[in-house]
Amino acid sequence: VLYKTFEHFRPELIKAYGLIVFASLILFLILLPVINKIVNWFFGILFFQEELSSEYNRNIDFFNQTAGIILFPISVLCIYSTIPVVSVYIGLAVIIIVFLLRIVRLLKINFNKQINFFYMFLYLCTVEIIPIVYLVKELTKP
């Protein structure tokens, strides 16, 4: 879905550097969850919240697996359908909804455990929001 999104919004980039973009997206999709888990683990140790960190990592795994199950048929539609643009928008909507549900789950866990709001804000800015902002910036670059 992500490659088709780039193909839809940045076709000149795909025509010039298709394989490099594909490899970069695969690397991004592999490294993002790994880095996310490492940073979660590090913040858990730093703020003495290892149990909370491991619980949130399990929730992230659950949401990522759910998103993968939902996005598989959408990916097939993107490739083999006669309306790939609609499939791209559906895939983006699913990714956004799963991301928002992850954030809501993080807030719920932190409010239940009475964690300082500053820690939540720090985590959201460094780990969750910055990679998404960078990806959107790349997609909307002229």
Side-chain angles (χ1 to χ4, degrees), residues 41-60:
W41 172 77
F42 175 74
F43 280 158
I45 290 173
L46 183 66
F47 299 126
F48 306 108
Q49 298 290 332
E50 293 92 358
E51 181 183 328
L52 180 69
S53 168
S54 65
E55 181 182 351
Y56 184 62
N57 276 337
R58 283 191 302 274
N59 281 296
I60 286 176

Side-chain angles (χ1 to χ4, degrees), residues 57-74:
N57 276 337
R58 283 191 302 274
N59 281 296
I60 286 176
D61 287 341
F62 172 73
F63 281 115
N64 287 344
Q65 291 169 358
T66 303
I69 290 170
I70 294 170
L71 286 174
F72 179 73
I74 295 171

Side-chain angles (χ1 to χ4, degrees), residues 18-134:
L19 188 59
I20 294 171
V21 170
F22 182 73
S24 299
L25 289 174
I26 294 294
L27 188 65
F28 177 78
L29 289 175
I30 291 171
L31 287 180
L32 185 65
V34 171
I35 291 171
N36 194 342
K37 282 187 176 199
I38 291 170
V39 171
N40 285 339
W41 172 77
F42 175 74
F43 280 158
I45 290 173
L46 183 66
F47 299 126
F48 306 108
Q49 298 290 332
E50 293 92 358
E51 181 183 328
L52 180 69
S53 168
S54 65
E55 181 182 351
Y56 184 62
N57 276 337
R58 283 191 302 274
N59 281 296
I60 286 176
D61 287 341
F62 172 73
F63 281 115
N64 287 344
Q65 291 169 358
T66 303
I69 290 170
I70 294 170
L71 286 174
F72 179 73
I74 295 171
S75 297
V76 172
L77 280 175
C78 282
I79 296 170
Y80 298 112
S81 154
T82 58
I83 51 167
V85 175
V86 174
S87 302
V88 166
Y89 286 121
I90 291 170
L92 287 175
V94 167
I95 291 170
I96 289 169
I97 289 169
V98 168
F99 180 74
L100 291 175
L101 287 173
R102 277 178 46 185
I103 300 297
V104 167
R105 182 65 182 154
L106 170 69
L107 294 174
K108 186 176 177 183
I109 290 171
N110 286 333
F111 285 137
N112 287 341
K113 303 282 184 177
Q114 297 177 346
I115 303 298
N116 190 347
F117 183 74
F118 175 72
Y119 295 155
M120 285 191 303
F121 181 75
L122 177 69
Y123 171 79
L124 285 174
C125 289
T126 57
V127 179
E128 297 288 343
I129 296 174
I130 289 175
I132 303 301
V133 168
Y134 180 73

